[in-house]
């Protein structure tokens, strides 16, 4: 018996899911290697660990999430919720970078750091949508009427 009902995902959802999976693997590798210093700029002061520990552990989590998205994201909508929750959990880092005026990732002005804050919600939505965690309400009503 299947715990989660599989659904057919369209090509747009597959492209979004694969992009998120690859992005997470790439970002995770960056956390552990070439981008480690830049990622430290995002760690809020109130986090009860060293900046380097946070960057390393979040890098490991991102790699694992990216692989999970690529392997199971099209089969299990809960993966979308997991990725969405992770993206929401790291948002305080984006806010800390803006609030503390820390330069990283080419964001060297308050305006650029502020604009970046608006990219997180659509990214969360993309994770949820591309893995079938959210549905269009009208489509759901239509599907229910045919059952």
């Amino acid at each position: 018996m299947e715990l989660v009902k599989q659904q057919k995902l369209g090509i747009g959802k597959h492209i979004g899911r694969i992009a998120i999976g690859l992005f997470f693997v790439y970002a995770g590798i960056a956390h552990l290697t070439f981008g480690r210093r830049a990622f430290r700029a995002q760690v809020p002061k109130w986090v009860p660990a060293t900046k380097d520990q946070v960057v390393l552990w979040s890098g490991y989590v991102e790699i694992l999430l990216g692989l999970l998205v690529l392997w199971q994201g099209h089969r299990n909508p809960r993966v979308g919720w997991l990725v969405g929750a992770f993206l929401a959990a790291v948002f305080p880092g984006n806010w800390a970078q803006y609030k503390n005026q820390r330069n990283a990732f080419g964001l060297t002005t308050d305006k650029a750091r502020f604009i970046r804050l608006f990219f997180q919600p659509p990214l969360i939505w993309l994770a949820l949508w591309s893995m079938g965690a959210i549905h269009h309400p009208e489509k759901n009503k239509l599907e229910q009427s045919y059952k």
Side-chain angles (χ1 to χ4, degrees), residues 69 73 76-85 124 127-129 131-133:
V69 165
N76 190 338
R78 290 179 288 194
V79 174
W81 286 110
L82 189 60
V83 171
I124 293 170
L128 297 173
W129 174 78
M131 290 175 244

Side-chain angles (χ1 to χ4, degrees), residues 66-124:
L67 294 174
L68 184 63
V69 165
L70 294 170
W71 179 53
Q72 286 288 314
H74 63 293
R75 295 186 186 112
N76 190 338
R78 290 179 288 194
V79 174
W81 286 110
L82 189 60
V83 171
F86 178 82
L87 289 167
V90 299
F91 183 76
N94 297 347
W95 179 259
Q97 183 181 3
Y98 167 69
K99 183 179 176 239
N100 299 318
Q101 299 177 316
R102 296 182 186 146
N103 296 337
F105 309 110
L107 305 173
T108 57
T109 66
D110 285 341
K111 182 179 178 181
R113 289 185 286 267
F114 182 73
I115 290 171
R116 179 175 185 234
L117 296 174
F118 292 94
F119 283 88
Q120 203 79 357
L123 192 55
I124 293 170

Side-chain angles (χ1 to χ4, degrees), residues 124-136:
I124 293 170
W125 178 85
L126 179 62
L128 297 173
W129 174 78
S130 69
M131 290 175 244
I134 57 173
H135 309 284
H136 189 280

